[in-house]
Amino acid sequence: MRWRCSVCGYVHEGEQPPETCPVCGAERSAFIRIDETETRQAPQQPAGLFRLHPIAAHLPNGLLPTVILFLLLALVLRQPELENAAFWLLLVAVAAVPVTLGAGLYDWRIWFGGRRAPIFLKKIGLAMALLVFGLVAISLRYAEPQLLGSISWGAGLYLLCLVGMLGCVGLLGHYGATLVYSGLPGSLPVEAAGSTGASDTDLIAAIVSQAPDAILAADAGGIIRLWNRGAERIFGMPAQQAIGQSLDLIIPEKLRERHWQGWRKTMQTGTSRYGEDQLLRVPAQRGDGSRLSAEFSLVMITGEGGRIEAVAAILRDVSEQWQREQRLQQELADCRKPE
């Protein structure tokens, strides 16, 4: 059997999913069984999405090897101009690290729900070490411009910091690639180029993605894991903003306590008081805080022993219909009033 982590896309083969995802640290309930014939696809990003983190990460990743090369050439050829050029490139690389770290933390929260898995903690620790190494190296070189002109402890520490920075960016690139090729939350499998015809999985994914009604799903902890185009339109929030957030995002504040009481009971019992043929109507809120009336049906995704692992909803905005009903009720009430 093959299982996919719904958080990062990691695929596991075995009779049962692992206790925790080795890539992102998600619990077993985050795994869903996939068809044996489904092929592994490269992760796809939502169209038009600007990702600051990988763009900023390319600066230190690309510049630091160049810094080392320029320093080696400066020592061999005895050209101080190359050493000066290396220092300016180092300044640019270090200046990009806080941007890369901040954007990475944002992506971690949005795409992976801020899970404290080892791979994320390693990346954060390496980025901070990279920044510290860079600041120490710049301070040493700025305090003594002719630092490499003589053999001293300062020159040794300067070179050690540069080597440490190079090691950090190498490991950061490795861990980043591990996450990318494991898949990203919210990505949908798409047909590979040159394929002849879509599989059932591709067809279902396309329907879910492009449906005009909102189709969303949350894991057992109430964290949003699926957010289609209909949800983007109705709630006014892009998928990258909603995925990884609590369902509180769309629940009016005064209704949250009652919602979570029912949610916890459903997760504990494995059953819901709402039948499969019921349409529910409740108030909801958009990304800008405005209210809407939502009509939806629920789908319970259960695992072994009837335990609920996720809850999906198919929802539409019926605010206009609700307003019409309110006006009709008011008109009927006015007509029944004695003259």
Side-chain angles (χ1 to χ4, degrees), residues 288-308:
D288 60 4
S290 60
R291 297 293 186 88
L292 71 146
S293 181
E295 189 175 74
F296 65 98
S297 58
L298 291 177
V299 179
M300 303 293 179
I301 312 300
T302 57
E304 294 182 0
R307 182 181 64 177
I308 296 178

Side-chain angles (χ1 to χ4, degrees), residues 53-67 89 92-94 96-97 100 123 130 165-177:
H53 176 65
I55 294 173
H58 276 77
L59 285 174
N61 288 2
L63 291 179
L64 283 170
T66 309
V67 169
L89 291 176
V92 176
V94 174
V97 175
T100 305
K123 282 176 65 66
L130 176 64
M165 293 179 71
L166 191 61
C168 286
V169 296
L171 288 172
L172 284 167
H174 166 71
Y175 290 132

Side-chain angles (χ1 to χ4, degrees), residues 13 20 32 63 67 99-100 143 174 182 233 305 312 315:
E13 294 187 4
T20 58
I32 57 175
L63 291 179
V67 169
V99 179
T100 305
H174 166 71
S182 293
R233 177 182 62 82
L315 176 149

Side-chain angles (χ1 to χ4, degrees), residues 281 320-330:
R281 184 181 293 183
E320 292 185 3
Q321 178 183 341
W322 181 83
Q323 291 170 358
R324 286 196 300 268
E325 291 174 356
Q326 292 296 107
R327 286 196 298 268
L328 286 173
Q329 290 178 5
Q330 184 60 49

